[in-house]
């Protein structure tokens, strides 16, 4: 027991004892060396309180760090993320405080000077001369430079060439190809065909082409039904909406978000007209008028999918989309192709 | 009779201050009469027998306020049933003060009518013609994960994926905080204002139960990461970045720098 | 300790350089530390990022979730998304590290912007530091891309929508847009499954290395040309005055580094960021209201909303699709102006000399006014970007707000610049009058003779 106390006391003394500051070294007159060097770092008075403060902050940091490990290790702790962040975050803040206190009170407070770098014309001159003198032996400079540039350029392009395989670089028709073609059946999320007589007004449906991959901006279409009297389709699209059922690409022609808003007024005289709206920048499209843009930054109407009703009453596409789906590019206004 | 008259006078006085939508005083006296309430609040737009008042002009087609000032128009209430009446009255959407108003939910304290009056009015409207009753959803039977998928598919575009509400080109889809199961079911089936209406065929009752279960769960989302800052995503996150973090770090720079810098 | 130094120097020859470096002088002003805040955020990003790479699966293969988050059970999602949900809920410190990483990214960009503002408003970009400045701008643009890719890799509903918009913006570049988009994505959106690993490699390797190299160059140039300083007695164009690295500046800088780490960890544990389990996974046919990019891209979503709805077409060909103006032209304009500014200023002022001493913002009213105008030009689209939420919260009609912002984005920068210029010139005059007054007093001419109107309390 006494031995333990002795060790503890020794530890405390070791930890807390203060070092006697060294006196400046005396001149060594007998040595052939220069006089003792002047101080580089400015001197300063000790601040014992600050030393204790820094030590205390270090201890606190250690405690928080231990707390972090404890929270980490113990199972079944609630709000674990909060406690972990708190312990580790505070640990770092305490450490920061320790260093800031040390910087303020434990090290010299001095103004140091340094000259800004001067221009070095001599070195610049020599550099230029090295380059010039190195090229002294060459007589056909222009020839070598031109052919060298040609070599470098061609080689550079050659090294870049494999990048072309990253994607179908020149197959721009891919951008307007969609799985929709005449006769393709429309199916819902679960793969069940959509029956025309079950399509109701005032609600919207999402449909996909049967048997085709869904993760394709040409695939999803949004289906709504309006009273035929309200339709204002252009003459060439008269047959595209059997029974007032309309299908449009679900991907906005502005920047490509899914159009998942349908404005379906219950009482028309006091409400805005039915519209398909995109939640990203609020491009608003008129399903009654061939997807014309009513509001928002979209530059072209929503591509429409012509519909027909199959023999068993199921909805089928009657052709490809009227234009490329999704965000515009130079060929987007042409009729969509089929994959 | 005198009591009814007094109720009518009190009610009329309250209508006069309806624009400020203050909390109602308790009206004393007999059970409210649905037909009387209808006559006071609804008849001018919905007609004496609930047949509706046709609009003077056709739909303007422009988003926002429709109709000219002073013009009234209202749909027929025959056959809408207790379901629609209950929805519009309990949310406070109705009675409407002006034709073409942007509908806004009103809390129970702000509503024009109290619960007993609403119940009476609902009974009256339901009596006009046979219509759907107030729904009785069972969200405890629903699957909250299926509800999230269905909500994302049908509702998140307007109401935001955690039901914080959203904008819809000329309308607002309200946040669903504090909305009860019955009201959700009613709104889904009725599709008030510009909301789509999802019938039992499009969304069977079991799916509706799941959606309601999800909306209820979304009222208190799993904020495992700490303070949820509104569950809106990057906009509040950006505010925290600048107003909390950047401010704290600039202050730290001022503290860390030497005394010379503060001269 | 002397033995250690001798042993190391004999083997590395580093003593002379270290001797100089240890006494390198740091001019002393709090605003000079903003760049360090950015640096330390980067350190936190790298450390937390490495940890995340050990758990993230960069794969778009579909899986059905059956983990601890109830609302996601039975939902189909990509491996990438699932792995991030697992990091958040099934790795003990996973959510803390994830959130700290994301907060660090947000704070990183904010501190770079603050640092850029300090550099701009004090004229630190002037000769001989134009190269340092350009490297800094280059880093900023890389950092914006890095952040975008980082949160888009998670494949959640919000960031997936953001990627689709990014695709639309790339596609809108005239001439090369379609080819570029097809190359980057490996096909039309959502692209080849390898797009996910392309994002991953770029975010984890290519961009951090590029940023690291530029950062090293930036710091090298800063120390080679030496830090700039404000004018003080004894400190001018020829001589820099300040704190030596050792022992004065080092503990302060280290303290700042730990403080940055502490703040980011506190945020990472206490304030939720990017709760992807609430958003759900992304698919092409899904979207949500109120989706936004991370804050540093808010100016772009605002610009995309502000530009009126038109595609530039010739015949049936769409020459310039709409997203180009807000998504490409606008940021290119802002960065372009910032990049050529040092030479623009040189040409406008005729000042071709080197400067080591900084201007106070008021000392260069035209520059400061222009900077304020440019900030306003960027800020108005930021506001437009959240106009829909403002409508939901405060009831201000969205379309009305758009109209106001469309006018403001052109008018407000000019107004702000003019007002700022006025104020600064006024401040300068006030200072000059005050200085003259003091001089007169010092020379013994009493205030009874009057020295002009009292300067405003400065």
């Amino acid at each position: 027991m006494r031995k333990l106390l002795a060790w503890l006391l020794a530890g405390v003394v070791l930890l807390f004892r203060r070092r006697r500051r060294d006196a400046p070294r005396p001149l060594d007159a007998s040595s052939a060396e220069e006089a003792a060097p002047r101080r580089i770092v400015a001197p300063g008075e000790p601040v014992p309180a600050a030393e204790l403060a820094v030590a205390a902050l270090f201890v606190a940091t250690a405690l928080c760090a231990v707390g972090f490990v404890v929270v980490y290790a113990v199972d079944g702790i609630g709000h674990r993320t909060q406690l972990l962040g708190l312990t580790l975050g505070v640990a770092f803040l305490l450490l920061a405080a320790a260093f800031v206190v040390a910087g303020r009170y434990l090290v010299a407070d001095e103004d140091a000077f340094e000259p800004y770098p001067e221009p070095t014309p001599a070195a610049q001159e020599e550099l230029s001369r090295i380059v010039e003198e190195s090229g002294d032996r060459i007589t056909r400079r222009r020839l070598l430079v031109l052919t060298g540039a040609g070599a470098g350029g061609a080689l550079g392009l050659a090294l870049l060439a494999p990048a072309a395989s990253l994607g179908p670089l020149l197959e721009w028709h891919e951008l307007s190809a969609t799985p929709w073609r005449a006769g393709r059946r429309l199916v819902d999320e679960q793969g069940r065909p959509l029956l025309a007589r079950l399509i109701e007004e005032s609600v919207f449906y999402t449909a996909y082409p049967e048997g085709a991959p869904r993760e394709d901006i040409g695939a999803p279409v949004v289906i709504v039904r309006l009273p035929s009297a309200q339709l204002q389709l252009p003459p060439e699209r008269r047959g595209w909406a059997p029974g007032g059922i309309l299908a449009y690409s679900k991907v906005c022609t502005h920047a490509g978000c899914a159009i998942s808003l349908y404005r379906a007024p219950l009482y028309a005289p006091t409400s805005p007209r039915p519209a398909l709206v995109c939640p990203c920048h609020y491009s608003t499209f008129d399903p009654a008028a061939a997807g014309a843009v009513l509001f928002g930054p979209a530059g072209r109407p929503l591509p429409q999918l012509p519909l027909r009703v199959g023999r068993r009453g199921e909805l089928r596409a009657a052709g490809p989309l009227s234009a490329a789906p999704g965000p515009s590019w130079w060929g987007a206004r042409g009729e969509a192709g089929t994959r | 009779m005198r009591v009814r008259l007094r109720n009518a006078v009190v009610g009329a006085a309250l209508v006069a201050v309806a624009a400020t939508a203050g909390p109602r005083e308790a009206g004393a006296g007999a059970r409210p009469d649905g037909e009387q309430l209808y006559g006071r609040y609804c008849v001018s737009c919905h007609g004496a027998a609930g047949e509706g008042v046709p609009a003077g002009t056709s739909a303007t087609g422009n988003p926002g306020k429709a109709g000219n000032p002073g013009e009234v128009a209202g749909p027929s209430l025959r056959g809408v049933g207790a379901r629609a009446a209950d929805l519009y009255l309990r949310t406070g959407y109705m009675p409407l003060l002006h034709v073409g108003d942007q509908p806004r939910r009103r809390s129970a304290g702000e509503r024009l009518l109290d619960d007993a009056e609403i119940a009476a009015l609902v009974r009256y409207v339901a009596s006009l013609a046979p219509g759907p009753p107030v729904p009785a959803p069972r969200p405890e039977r629903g699957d909250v994960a299926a509800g999230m998928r269905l909500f994302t598919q049908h509702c998140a575009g307007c109401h935001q994926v955690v039901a914080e509400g959203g904008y819809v080109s000329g309308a607002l889809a309200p946040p669903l905080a504090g909305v009860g199961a019955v009201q959700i079911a009613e709104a889904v089936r009725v599709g008030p204002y510009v909301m789509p209406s999802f019938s039992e065929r499009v969304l069977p009752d079991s799916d509706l139960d799941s959606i309601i279960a999800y909306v209820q769960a979304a009222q208190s989302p799993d904020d495992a990461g700490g303070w949820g800052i509104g569950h809106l995503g990057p906009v509040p996150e950006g505010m925290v970045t600048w107003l909390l973090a950047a401010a704290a770090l600039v202050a730290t720079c001022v503290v860390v720098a030497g005394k010379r810098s503060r001269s | 300790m002397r033995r250690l130094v001798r042993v190391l120097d004999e083997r590395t020859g580093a003593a002379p350089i270290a001797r100089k470096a240890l006494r390198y002088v740091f001019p002393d002003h709090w605003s000079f530390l903003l760049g360090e805040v950015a640096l330390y955020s980067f350190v936190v990003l790298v450390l937390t990022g490495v940890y995340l790479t050990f758990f993230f699966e960069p794969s778009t293969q579909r899986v059905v979730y059956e983990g601890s988050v109830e609302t996601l059970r039975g939902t189909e999602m990509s491996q990438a998304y699932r792995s991030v949900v697992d990091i958040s809920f099934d790795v003990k410190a996973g959510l803390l590290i994830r959130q700290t990483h994301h907060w660090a990214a947000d704070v990183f960009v904010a501190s770079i912007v603050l640092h850029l503002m300090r550099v701009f408003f004090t004229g630190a970009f002037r000769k001989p530091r134009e190269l340092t400045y350009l490297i800094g701008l280059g880093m900023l643009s890389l950092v914006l891309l890095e952040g975008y890719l980082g949160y888009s890799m998670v494949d959640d509903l919000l960031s997936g929508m953001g990627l689709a918009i990014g695709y639309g913006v790339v596609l809108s570049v005239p001439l090369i847009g379609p080819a570029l988009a097809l190359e980057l994505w490996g096909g039309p959106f959502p692209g080849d499954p390898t797009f996910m690993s392309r994002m991953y490699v770029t975010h984890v390797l290519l961009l951090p290395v590029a940023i690291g190299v530029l950062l090293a160059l930036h710091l090298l140039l800063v120390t080679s040309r030496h830090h700039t300083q404000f004018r003080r007695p004894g400190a001018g164009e020829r001589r820099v005055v300040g704190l030596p690295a050792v022992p004065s500046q080092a503990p302060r800088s280290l303290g700042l580094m730990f403080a940055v780490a502490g703040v980011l960890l506190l945020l990472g544990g206490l304030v939720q960021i990017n709760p992807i389990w609430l958003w759900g996974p992304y698919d092409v046919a899904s979207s949500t209201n109120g989706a936004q990019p991370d804050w540093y891209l808010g100016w772009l979503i605002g610009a995309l909303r502000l530009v009126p709805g038109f595609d530039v077409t010739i015949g049936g060909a769409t020459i310039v699709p709409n997203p180009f103006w807000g998504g490409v032209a606008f940021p290119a304009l802002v960065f372009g102006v910032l990049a050529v500014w040092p030479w623009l200023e040189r040409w406008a002022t005729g000042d071709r000399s080197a400067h080591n001493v900084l201007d106070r913002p008021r000392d260069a009213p035209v520059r400061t006014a222009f900077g304020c105008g440019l900030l306003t030009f960027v800020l108005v689209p930021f506001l437009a970007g959240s106009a829909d939420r403002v409508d939901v919260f405060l009831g201000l009609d969205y379309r009305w707000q758009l109209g106001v912002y469309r006018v403001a984005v052109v008018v407000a920068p000019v107004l702000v610049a003019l007002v700022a210029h006025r104020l600064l010139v006024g401040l300068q005059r006030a200072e000059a009058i005050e200085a003259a007054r003091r001089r007169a007093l010092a020379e013994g001419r009493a205030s009874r003779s009057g020295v002009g109107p009292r300067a405003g309390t400065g």
Side-chain angles (χ1 to χ4, degrees):
Chain A
M1 187 62 193
R2 222 174 283 166
K3 245 205 163 162
L4 180 64
L5 279 174
W7 275 107
L8 259 169
L9 193 60
V12 169
V13 168
L14 260 167
L15 275 175
F16 281 91
R17 79 181 171 103
R18 296 178 55 199
R19 175 176 68 85
R20 221 173 8 121
R21 290 176 71 212
D22 292 341
R25 291 208 323 269
L27 277 163
D28 192 6
S30 61
S31 156
E33 292 172 2
E34 294 172 341
R38 264 181 318 176
R39 279 187 68 90
I40 306 176
V41 180
E45 288 307 307
V47 184
E51 293 173 8
L52 286 176
V54 170
L57 285 168
F58 281 150
V59 168
T61 304
L63 287 174
C64 284
V66 167
F68 175 82
V69 176
V70 166
V71 173
Y72 189 94
V74 170
D75 280 326
I77 272 194
H79 300 289
R80 186 192 299 275
T81 303
Q82 284 71 65
L83 288 173
L84 287 175
L86 208 52
T87 46
L88 200 57
V90 170
F92 271 104
L93 288 180
L94 290 169
L95 192 60
F99 273 81
V100 169
V101 170
R104 283 267 188 87
Y105 301 107
L106 294 188
V107 294
D109 185 16
E110 52 179 322
D111 264 334
F113 309 85
E114 248 184 341
Y116 273 109
E118 297 287 339
T120 47
Q124 291 169 9
E125 172 63 26
E126 287 188 13
L127 202 55
S128 311
R129 276 178 53 195
I130 293 173
V131 174
E132 281 166 3
E133 291 167 14
S134 304
D136 257 345
R137 286 180 71 176
I138 300 174
T139 56
R140 296 190 188 82
R141 185 159 304 172
R142 203 178 307 158
L143 173 68
L144 287 175
V145 166
L146 277 174
T147 50
L155 196 53
L157 283 176
L159 288 174
L160 284 176
S165 302
L166 283 171
L169 177 62
L170 295 171
E171 289 161 41
W172 294 2
H173 61 271
E174 282 288 321
L175 289 169
S176 55
T178 77
W180 293 106
R181 56 175 161 74
R184 259 254 147 88
R185 218 159 44 157
L186 277 74
V187 296
D188 66 7
E189 284 267 338
Q190 278 72 42
R192 298 179 298 228
L194 269 74
L195 296 176
R197 63 180 169 79
L198 295 180
I199 302 291
E200 301 180 8
E201 288 182 18
S202 295
V203 69
F204 68 101
Y205 306 78
T206 304
Y208 300 90
E210 188 179 33
R214 299 210 171 153
E215 285 300 296
D216 179 339
I217 52 171
V221 293
V222 58
I223 300 193
V224 296
R225 185 178 208 148
L226 294 173
S228 302
Q230 276 182 22
L231 296 184
Q232 298 162 331
L233 297 174
E236 63 273 16
R237 297 197 192 178
R238 277 286 144 73
W240 285 27
I245 302 176
L246 300 146
Y248 290 95
S249 166
K250 197 173 180 187
V251 179
C252 183
T253 53
H254 177 238
C257 298
I259 291 171
S260 58
L261 286 75
Y262 182 47
R263 207 171 61 187
L266 187 55
Y267 182 58
T270 56
S271 299
R273 67 158 70 120
L276 294 164
V277 187
C278 176
C280 285
H281 314 106
Y282 301 104
S283 295
T284 310
F285 304 92
D286 189 349
V293 179
L294 292 170
F295 174 75
R300 65 186 176 98
L302 215 47
Q304 186 176 2
L305 182 70
L307 292 177
R308 66 178 179 83
V309 181
R311 246 175 319 139
R312 274 182 279 255
E314 77 281 15
L315 281 174
R316 287 182 185 269
L321 278 175
S322 62
S328 292
W329 55 283
W330 74 261
R333 282 167 157 80
E335 188 183 74
T338 300
R339 229 186 281 287
Chain B
M1 203 54 188
R2 287 178 67 87
V3 167
R4 279 193 176 180
L5 205 58
R6 186 171 59 143
N7 276 350
V9 169
V10 168
L14 284 169
V15 169
V17 296
T20 58
R24 283 209 70 242
E25 300 166 20
R31 281 179 61 218
D33 182 319
E35 185 169 4
Q36 264 218 340
L37 289 165
Y38 183 87
R40 188 179 312 142
Y41 295 114
C42 321
V43 74
S44 52
C45 295
H46 290 290
E51 74 280 13
V53 171
T57 55
S58 58
T60 60
N62 291 323
K65 282 191 164 38
N68 302 313
E71 182 185 298
V72 293
S76 163
L77 297 181
R78 305 182 69 83
V80 301
R83 183 174 73 187
D86 190 66
L87 170 67
Y88 281 89
L89 291 170
R90 286 206 192 280
T91 51
Y93 287 153
M94 289 288 161
L96 202 56
L97 293 174
H98 303 289
V99 171
D101 259 355
Q102 169 68 46
R104 292 232 190 272
R105 303 180 65 86
R106 300 208 191 107
S107 63
E110 292 176 321
R111 281 197 315 241
L112 220 50
L113 306 169
D114 65 24
D115 284 341
E117 290 172 320
I118 288 178
L121 201 41
V122 166
R123 269 196 304 277
Y124 176 74
V125 170
S127 72
L128 292 174
V134 172
R138 305 285 296 274
E140 66 278 7
R141 287 204 204 147
D143 169 14
V144 77
M148 178 169 176
R149 291 190 287 272
L150 289 163
F151 191 84
T152 306
Q153 192 185 349
H154 298 291
C155 324
C158 297
H159 284 280
Q160 202 258 357
V161 69
V162 203
E164 294 284 347
Y167 176 73
V168 189
S169 281
L172 288 176
L176 301 181
V179 177
V182 171
Q183 223 171 75
I184 298 175
E186 289 170 343
V188 167
R189 298 287 184 225
V190 170
Y193 293 102
V194 295
M195 176 171 164
S197 62
F198 302 86
S199 68
E200 281 84 350
R201 190 157 56 190
V202 178
L203 217 52
D205 279 337
S206 56
D207 282 353
L208 184 52
D209 288 338
S210 295
I211 289 182
I212 296 173
Y214 171 71
V215 172
Q216 288 175 336
Q219 309 285 306
S220 43
D222 185 358
D223 286 339
W227 179 25
I229 50 174
H231 311 106
L232 286 173
V235 170
E237 290 164 11
M239 291 193 217
V240 167
T241 300
W242 280 93
L243 300 176
L244 274 186
L249 288 172
V250 167
T252 310
C253 289
V254 175
V255 165
V256 161
K259 353 190 230 290
R260 267 168 238 86
S261 80
R262 285 188 292 289
S263 58
Chain C
M1 194 260 311
R2 284 172 204 271
R3 242 195 72 199
L4 179 65
V5 170
R6 183 169 49 84
V7 158
L8 280 176
D9 181 50
E10 280 171 3
R11 284 150 187 75
T12 62
I17 293 183
R19 157 75 181 92
K20 268 195 74 183
L22 252 54
R23 297 296 290 176
Y24 179 92
V25 170
F26 285 87
D28 199 10
H29 192 267
W30 66 266
S31 67
F32 300 163
L33 294 171
L34 293 170
E36 284 191 40
V37 172
L39 174 65
Y40 302 141
S41 309
F42 185 62
V43 170
V44 172
L45 276 171
V46 171
L47 292 176
T48 51
V50 167
Y51 187 78
L52 292 174
T53 60
F54 293 150
F55 294 92
F56 177 69
E57 273 184 87
S59 159
T60 52
Q61 179 155 37
R62 312 299 282 176
V63 289
V64 174
Y65 182 79
E66 294 300 349
S68 30
V69 180
E70 217 195 319
T71 44
L72 293 176
R73 291 227 189 96
T75 302
E76 202 183 84
M77 55 183 65
S78 60
Q79 295 257 42
Y81 181 84
R82 201 264 305 265
S83 71
V84 179
V85 175
D86 287 346
I87 289 175
S88 304
F89 285 90
D90 300 322
V91 176
K92 275 190 179 174
L95 188 56
L96 172 70
I97 307 261
R98 232 200 94 216
Q99 298 200 148
T100 305
H101 188 78
H102 204 136
W103 281 120
D106 279 356
V107 168
F108 185 33
V109 184
S111 53
I112 293 178
V113 169
L114 285 172
H115 174 65
L116 172 62
M117 281 165 61
R118 196 282 294 170
V119 164
F120 186 88
F121 286 122
T122 55
F125 53 80
R126 290 173 295 178
K127 177 173 170 182
R129 295 176 180 83
E130 304 99 320
L131 195 54
T132 321
Y133 173 72
L134 285 180
I135 291 178
L137 278 182
M139 278 198 284
L140 176 57
S141 40
L142 288 184
V143 163
L144 294 183
L145 179 61
E146 173 80 343
Y148 177 63
L149 289 179
Y151 71 78
S152 298
M153 282 196 305
V154 179
D155 197 31
D156 61 283
L157 187 55
L158 263 66
S159 65
M161 292 165 70
L163 266 185
I165 296 176
Y167 173 79
V169 168
V170 171
L171 211 52
S172 76
V173 176
L175 290 178
I176 57 167
L180 195 57
L182 287 173
E183 281 288 278
L184 290 175
W185 269 267
F189 192 83
D192 199 74
T194 55
F195 180 70
M196 170 65 72
S197 33
R198 290 176 191 180
M199 279 200 290
Y200 184 66
V201 165
T202 309
H203 179 82
V204 162
L205 179 68
L206 299 179
L207 283 177
V209 166
I211 294 171
V213 165
L214 286 180
L215 188 57
L217 271 178
H218 188 82
L219 292 175
L220 200 64
L221 287 174
V222 166
T223 49
S224 133
R225 298 295 80 200
H226 229 101
H227 283 71
T228 49
Q229 64 185 350
F230 285 110
R231 187 181 303 282
R232 275 210 187 90
E237 288 287 348
R238 307 292 304 276
R239 200 167 76 146
V240 59
V241 173
L243 296 173
V246 170
S248 307
Q249 181 66 26
R252 295 172 205 269
S253 286
L254 283 172
L256 186 59
M257 176 168 80
F258 296 132
V260 168
V263 167
L264 292 176
L265 280 164
L266 277 180
L267 278 177
L270 300 177
V271 186
Q272 188 165 269
I273 185 170
N274 204 23
I276 49 137
W277 60 92
L278 296 182
W279 312 145
Y282 174 71
D283 79 88
V284 156
S286 295
S287 58
T288 172
N289 206 291
Q292 291 271 341
D294 268 16
W295 82 262
Y296 42 85
L297 297 180
W299 57 315
L300 298 184
I301 182 179
L304 285 172
R305 286 181 180 178
L306 282 180
V307 174
F310 68 96
D311 285 344
V312 174
T313 57
I314 296 185
T318 314
I319 306 298
V320 185
N322 186 276
F324 174 76
W325 307 108
V328 180
F330 172 59
L333 177 66
V334 172
F335 271 99
V337 164
L338 281 173
V340 304
W341 181 259
W343 292 274
L344 209 59
E345 193 180 274
R346 277 234 293 236
W347 168 78
T349 59
D351 180 4
R352 285 171 200 287
S353 50
H355 290 274
N356 291 318
V357 168
L358 294 169
D359 290 329
R360 294 171 308 163
R362 73 183 69 176
D363 294 331
V366 175
R367 176 202 303 143
T368 307
F370 180 84
C372 293
L374 191 63
L375 271 176
T376 312
F377 184 57
V378 172
L379 195 63
V380 172
F382 261 109
L383 296 174
S386 43
D388 54 341
R389 298 317 300 180
V390 169
D391 193 346
V392 174
F393 276 128
L394 301 177
L396 287 172
D397 183 42
Y398 176 77
R399 286 153 303 164
W400 174 83
Q401 284 187 64
L402 274 195
V404 167
Y405 291 134
R406 278 183 180 142
V407 170
V409 78
V410 175
V411 167
V414 175
L415 268 180
V416 166
L418 287 173
V419 168
H421 188 257
R422 257 293 155 81
L423 283 174
L424 292 166
V425 167
L427 274 175
Q428 275 188 327
R429 286 218 191 98
E431 266 191 350
I433 292 174
E434 188 64 25
R437 196 179 71 86
R438 286 218 194 94
R439 247 182 292 129
L441 276 174
E443 284 167 16
R445 284 189 206 127
S447 52
R448 57 186 121 88
S449 57
V451 205
R454 265 234 155 208
T457 52

